[in-house]
Amino acid sequence: MLLQGTVVADAETVVEDGAVVVEGNEIVAVGDREELVETYPDRERKEYDLLAPGVVGGHVHSVQSLGRGIADDTSLLDWLFDYVLPMEAGLDAEGMRIAAELGYLELLESGVTTAIDHLSVRHADEAFEAAGELGVRARMGKVLMDTESPDGLLEDTQAGLDETERLIREYHDTRGGRIQYAVTPRFAVSCTEECLRGCRELADAYDGVRIHTHASENRDEVATVEERTGRRNIHWLDEVGLTGEDVVLAHCIWTDESEREVLAETGTHVTYCPSSNMKLASGIAPVMDYAERGINVALGNDGPPCNNTLDPFTEMRQASLLQKVEHLDPTTTPAELVFEMATRNGAKAAGFEDVGRLRPGWKADVVGLTTDLTRATPLHDVFSHLVFSAHGDDVEFTMVDGNVVYEDGELRTGDADAIRRRAREYDLPIAAD
Ligand SMILES: [Zn+2]
């Protein structure tokens, strides 16, 4: 296939009147449209105003998708323990499947091609099957919770680790490598030391498995961990093996100097979730400080109950604006940097080495967007447009691993109307107040 348009190949490279040629699941050429049409004359051609790498959602909860709007305007720990965890505890296998499909549908139709997905304690198979079938690229895993957790989610330590190992054997590195496993403890508050150390052992035992958890999102969380362990949260995670180049920590808002040094020294990845952090009034992650220290910062929407949208373009906008107001500096966190966070940095965190840029030999994860819009007129700068004014609705074409998964308003890998209908009809175990 030959895709034509203005090609935003990465955060530094734009090819006007360009093209991307895809063979199988790989990009084979990126460059001038006329030259590539001449070199590849027989390819099926499609044209979009902008072609860009698929966006990487660096932290998402697809299986919370049925809970959008059930817990607005509440504090993090109330939000979690009074609403979101009871909802997760009450979802049966069918509910988990519907929620996951709804989440992946929203991601794919708004231009996200890769997700780092934090599932729930039970019925993880449903999400793995849904991701496999709908075609998203994912680093995902079942959640572990073996202390300080509500009924329906609290699990025996060994049972959680055993179930994780079963899922690794069943789903890790499947669908041609598109689906990868992340061992996913919820957070240090709801996991024992034995559980956290067990997570590290499992990640080490299976080649390519990573670890994904929440860390230092909230001051109460940090205080609880410190009371229990005598350590700052990141020091505790480091002690039990949950830092390193194969670890992605969502949030990392409340970290001190010594914790930041640990994150940098160990090569731990951090996912910045500005909308969720604003909505739950959690705080502002020091992501520019992290970036200056060489810490890889990805960008994530978090879950539908705390955002309440999985639109990655809105998230890019928030990512920049929040840092500008934090630093009272309009020059900080420019559009190109945010675009890099949302694409290549996310792919690095997810452990996909050839994803997040449009270049020959890399995976064919490509989105096509329209700019035939009032708010894109005139279009002076594509990065400015993508970060500050584009919406997920502008996406007209989504390709993952060389497969067209969304095109012209239609999901190609499933029945979007049926997914939305089943989500509306499902009897959610908890309702909004
Ligand atoms: Zn989260």
Side-chain angles (χ1 to χ4, degrees):
M1 189 179 290
L2 190 149
L3 300 164
Q4 312 175 86
T6 296
V7 177
V8 184
D10 57 43
E12 292 171 354
T13 317
V14 177
V15 186
E16 305 277 355
D17 207 7
V20 177
V21 183
V22 173
E23 265 178 27
N25 70 344
E26 269 190 17
I27 294 165
V28 294
V30 178
D32 179 74
R33 181 181 62 86
E34 257 180 48
E35 281 175 25
L36 291 179
V37 166
E38 210 167 284
T39 313
Y40 301 91
D42 303 326
R43 301 304 162 102
E44 180 190 359
R45 287 187 220 166
K46 292 177 188 289
E47 182 154 8
Y48 298 94
D49 295 331
L50 287 181
L51 293 163
V55 184
V56 179
H59 175 64
V60 68
H61 299 259
S62 66
V63 300
Q64 292 177 0
S65 292
L66 298 177
R68 193 190 322 265
I70 63 167
D72 296 332
D73 314 320
T74 52
S75 71
L76 174 75
L77 294 180
D78 291 347
W79 173 90
L80 188 64
F81 286 100
D82 294 347
Y83 297 94
V84 172
L85 294 182
M87 176 190 72
E88 283 190 19
L91 286 179
D92 58 9
E94 186 199 4
M96 210 62 84
R97 178 61 175 249
I98 295 168
E101 288 185 0
L102 189 70
Y104 299 138
L105 172 62
E106 188 179 357
L107 293 174
L108 293 171
E109 67 186 15
S110 56
V112 176
T113 52
T114 298
I116 303 179
D117 195 5
H118 195 106
L119 303 176
S120 188
V121 173
R122 296 176 304 124
H123 309 305
D125 295 81
E126 300 296 330
F128 277 97
E129 296 294 338
E133 285 172 21
L134 293 188
V136 69
R137 187 182 299 283
R139 165 73 61 181
M140 56 199 287
K142 162 211 155 42
V143 168
L144 292 109
M145 301 176 81
D146 70 334
T147 186
E148 302 282 329
S149 306
D151 287 349
L153 294 177
L154 181 68
E155 230 181 358
D156 172 71
T157 307
Q158 196 54 48
L161 293 168
D162 288 347
E163 172 70 351
T164 298
E165 187 158 23
R166 179 189 73 77
L167 291 163
I168 292 171
R169 288 170 185 247
E170 179 119 17
Y171 297 107
H172 175 56
D173 201 21
T174 56
R175 308 264 181 179
R178 178 163 59 78
I179 302 294
Q180 299 283 324
Y181 203 89
V183 182
T184 310
R186 172 82 61 178
F187 64 156
V189 172
S190 62
C191 295
T192 63
E193 177 175 354
E194 185 188 354
C195 174
L196 297 175
R197 289 188 186 276
C199 289
R200 165 47 70 195
E201 281 172 21
L202 280 173
D204 285 347
Y206 291 89
D207 192 33
V209 167
R210 294 198 160 207
I211 293 172
H212 176 45
T213 190
H214 298 98
S216 308
E217 175 177 6
N218 175 283
R219 282 182 291 186
D220 292 342
E221 167 205 350
V222 169
T224 302
V225 173
E226 196 158 3
E227 210 170 284
R228 194 194 292 164
T229 67
R231 311 272 193 291
R232 293 282 300 176
N233 194 23
I234 300 299
H235 289 298
W236 174 241
L237 294 177
D238 187 50
E239 190 172 320
V240 297
L242 268 60
T243 53
E245 289 175 8
D246 60 353
V247 177
V248 186
L249 300 180
H251 306 302
C252 294
I253 296 169
W254 298 101
T255 54
D256 67 18
E257 172 64 27
S258 66
E259 291 177 290
R260 295 176 195 188
E261 283 170 12
V262 169
L263 293 173
E265 280 165 14
T266 56
T268 305
H269 308 266
V270 170
T271 301
Y272 173 36
C273 303
S275 297
S276 165
N277 298 159
M278 281 190 267
K279 187 156 182 281
L280 289 164
S282 299
I284 304 175
V287 295
M288 294 311 293
D289 181 61
Y290 291 158
E292 279 160 22
R293 292 168 191 263
I295 297 169
N296 182 49
V297 177
L299 188 63
N301 284 60
D302 213 342
C306 64
N307 189 308
N308 299 359
T309 166
L310 300 183
D311 178 348
F313 296 94
T314 309
E315 205 61 33
M316 288 188 228
R317 172 182 164 89
Q318 307 280 40
S320 178
L321 300 191
L322 184 59
Q323 293 299 318
K324 291 181 191 305
V325 75
E326 163 75 349
H327 296 284
L328 297 177
D329 177 4
T331 69
T332 192
T333 328
E336 290 84 350
L337 179 71
V338 175
F339 184 79
E340 182 83 344
M341 286 180 184
T343 53
R344 182 62 196 133
N345 288 7
K348 270 190 220 166
F352 293 107
E353 289 314 312
D354 48 3
V355 170
R357 290 182 177 141
L358 300 182
R359 55 176 61 172
W362 285 40
K363 293 286 189 296
D365 291 5
V366 189
V367 294
L369 299 97
T370 180
T371 57
D372 188 15
L373 302 160
T374 307
R375 65 186 147 72
T377 308
L379 206 164
H380 295 296
D381 181 298
V382 290
F383 294 108
S384 168
H385 171 69
L386 287 168
V387 171
F388 294 119
S389 65
H391 287 176
D393 289 350
D394 307 352
V395 172
E396 295 182 320
F397 173 86
T398 305
M399 171 183 273
V400 186
D401 214 30
N403 294 315
V404 178
V405 293
Y406 176 80
E407 190 175 22
D408 302 330
E410 299 283 340
L411 182 70
R412 297 284 184 223
T413 49
D415 183 341
D417 287 332
I419 293 169
R420 286 188 288 262
R421 179 172 41 75
R422 287 164 65 221
R424 276 191 292 269
E425 290 172 357
Y426 183 76
D427 191 10
L428 197 67
I430 182 168
D433 282 340

